């Protein structure tokens, strides 16, 4: 017999209306998940790559490690990785620079440390660096060696430029003045100076003897991302936003004159151009803008690299394109004319 029955409602507790979780609560929930391991990493985007002195291998950033890869064959020859500690988590590689003699590599990390590693060796995994230097409060963004390898300059996201003594394995000084992250540094050994660029849009020249800023130049693009020095020709190149590539000449100029004389120097002034009757008290590096170089990309100039003889200039853009320029002397220009 079929009977038609009406469904009886089931009594349930009435829950109080709860507001949806806030975005901050949702973000904090992801903090429970941390990276445990990574596989098959060849290059991470934290720093640029470098070629060994003999040209047989390249060095690449691999998250918290640096890998040495042979140009012929597969796999890595070595990996340089800081030994993990209980108190600190692994820091990602953010800057990489090979020493002029090719025997050491300076590596900057996201925790603000700079470590020097020996390049030569047979150990497949190296966890003991030559020295660890601490001077930045946040990530190290750029590095540059002096031509003789005795000094190292580092620029960080904390707006500081730090000069290191590689031989003594200690810091020399901290240079303060930038108002944004320091994105590029270049040593000018012949003039005892250092050039630095920043996202604040300024090029600063520092006198390493007095440890002071002697000149500040503003970029029309508003941001500067890279710098390199060609000491053989006495010229400096800076790269900025929108594909801006500026050419500067660097020479010694009078920064301060004697009492009663004129102080400062005009653009392009050199030691021989000192006015009569004025005794120079302070001669330092001075930059003069010569013009801009037309580029084919509107992306930022992420990296500039001049060849050893200054004849070739390589430029890497933020859109993953690259340009090569060849510098011509006066005789070549006359022939083309």
């Amino acid at each position: 017999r079929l009977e038609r029955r009406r469904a009886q409602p089931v009594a349930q507790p009435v829950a109080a209306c709860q507001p949806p979780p806030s975005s901050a609560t949702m973000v904090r929930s992801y903090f429970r998940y941390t990276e445990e391991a990574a596989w098959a990493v060849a290059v991470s985007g934290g720093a640029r790559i470098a070629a060994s002195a003999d040209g047989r291998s390249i060095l690449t950033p691999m998250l918290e490690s640096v890998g040495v890869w042979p140009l012929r064959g597969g796999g890595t020859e070595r990996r340089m990785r800081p030994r993990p500690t209980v108190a600190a988590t692994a820091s990602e590689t953010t800057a990489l620079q090979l020493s002029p003699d090719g025997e050491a590599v300076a590596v900057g990390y996201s925790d603000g440390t700079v470590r020097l590693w020996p390049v030569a060796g047979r150990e497949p995994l190296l966890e003991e660096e030559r020295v660890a230097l601490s001077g930045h409060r946040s990530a190290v963004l750029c590095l540059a060696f002096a031509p003789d390898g005795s000094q190292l300059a580092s620029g960080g996201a904390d707006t500081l430029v730090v000069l290191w003594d590689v031989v003594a394995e200690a810091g020399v000084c901290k240079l303060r003045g930038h108002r944004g992250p320091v994105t590029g540094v270049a040593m000018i050994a012949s003039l005892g100076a250092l050039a630095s660029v920043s996202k604040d849009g300024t090029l600063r020249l520092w006198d390493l003897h007095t440890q002071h800023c002697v000149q500040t130049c503003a970029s029309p693009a508003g941001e500067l991302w890279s710098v390199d020095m060609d000491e053989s020709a006495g010229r400096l190149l800076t790269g900025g936003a929108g594909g801006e590539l500026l050419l500067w000449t660097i020479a010694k100029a009078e920064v301060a004159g004697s009492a009663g004389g004129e102080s400062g120097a005009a653009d392009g002034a050199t030691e021989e151009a000192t006015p009569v009757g004025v005794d120079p008290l302070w001669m330092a590096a001075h930059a003069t803008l010569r013009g801009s170089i037309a580029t084919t990309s509107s992306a930022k100039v992420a990296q500039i690299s001049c060849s050893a003889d200054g004849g070739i200039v390589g430029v890497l853009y933020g859109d993953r394109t690259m340009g090569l320029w060849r510098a011509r002397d006066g005789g070549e220009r006359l022939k083309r004319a």
Side-chain angles (χ1 to χ4, degrees):
R1 187 178 60 177
L2 299 177
E3 294 183 357
R4 187 177 180 181
R5 296 183 180 180
R6 181 178 298 179
Q8 298 296 328
V10 179
Q12 295 183 0
V14 179
C17 296
Q18 298 291 339
S22 63
S23 59
T25 304
M26 296 179 67
V27 171
R28 283 197 299 268
S29 66
Y30 287 99
F31 290 167
R32 297 175 299 172
Y33 306 99
T34 59
E35 180 184 354
E36 182 176 345
W39 296 271
V41 177
V43 180
S44 59
R48 68 180 189 178
I49 66 174
S52 61
D54 56 8
R56 297 180 179 179
S57 57
I58 58 174
L59 289 80
T60 65
M62 301 168 57
L63 298 179
E64 72 278 1
S65 305
V66 174
V68 181
W69 300 76
L71 293 181
R72 293 183 179 181
T76 56
E77 292 180 351
R78 314 176 63 203
R79 286 185 63 188
M80 293 169 274
R81 182 183 65 190
R83 189 182 300 276
T85 60
V86 178
T89 58
S91 300
E92 185 177 353
T93 301
T94 55
L96 191 151
Q97 184 68 39
L98 200 66
S99 65
D101 57 7
E103 295 183 358
V105 59
V107 183
Y109 295 89
S110 58
D111 62 354
T113 60
V114 177
R115 300 173 188 268
L116 295 177
W117 300 85
V119 174
R122 297 181 179 179
E123 301 89 346
L125 178 60
L126 185 63
E127 294 185 328
E128 289 293 339
E129 68 274 0
R130 179 175 139 191
V131 63
L133 306 170
S134 299
H136 291 277
R137 298 187 300 269
S138 55
V140 178
L141 302 181
C142 51
L143 296 164
F145 275 99
D148 60 358
S150 62
Q151 289 183 322
L152 174 70
S154 62
D158 55 359
T159 74
L160 293 179
V161 178
V162 182
L163 185 66
W164 307 93
D165 189 329
V166 178
V167 179
E169 299 180 350
V172 177
C173 62
K174 290 183 178 181
L175 305 175
R176 297 177 172 86
H178 282 295
R179 297 183 178 181
V182 180
T183 53
V185 288
M187 302 289 289
I188 312 175
S190 59
L191 302 180
L194 170 69
S196 63
V197 295
S198 169
K199 287 184 67 176
D200 62 8
T202 60
L203 162 68
R204 289 180 178 265
L205 294 183
W206 309 85
D207 185 81
L208 298 183
H209 300 293
T210 60
Q211 300 176 5
H212 282 79
C213 178
V214 295
Q215 187 183 11
T216 302
C217 305
S219 166
E223 288 183 350
L224 288 176
W225 291 90
S226 53
V227 63
D228 199 16
M229 179 69 190
D230 177 17
E231 292 207 50
S232 62
R235 56 176 172 244
L236 185 80
L237 287 166
T238 60
E244 180 191 73
L245 191 60
L246 300 180
L247 176 64
W248 311 75
T249 54
I250 305 294
K252 267 197 172 183
E254 179 187 347
V255 176
S258 60
E262 296 182 357
S263 180
D267 286 352
T270 59
E271 188 173 355
E272 291 76 18
T274 304
V276 178
V278 177
D279 297 326
L281 295 180
W282 188 6
M283 303 294 294
H286 185 82
T288 303
L289 179 62
R290 292 306 181 188
S292 61
I293 300 175
T295 60
T296 58
S297 176
S298 59
K300 69 178 183 180
V301 179
Q303 182 181 337
I304 303 173
S305 183
C306 299
S307 61
D309 58 359
I312 302 294
V313 177
V315 178
L316 180 65
Y317 300 97
D319 58 2
R320 300 181 181 181
T321 60
M322 182 177 178
L324 292 175
W325 276 264
R326 182 173 179 267
R328 295 189 306 225
D329 56 16
E332 290 178 322
R333 288 195 296 267
L334 290 175
K335 288 180 181 179
R336 290 184 64 89

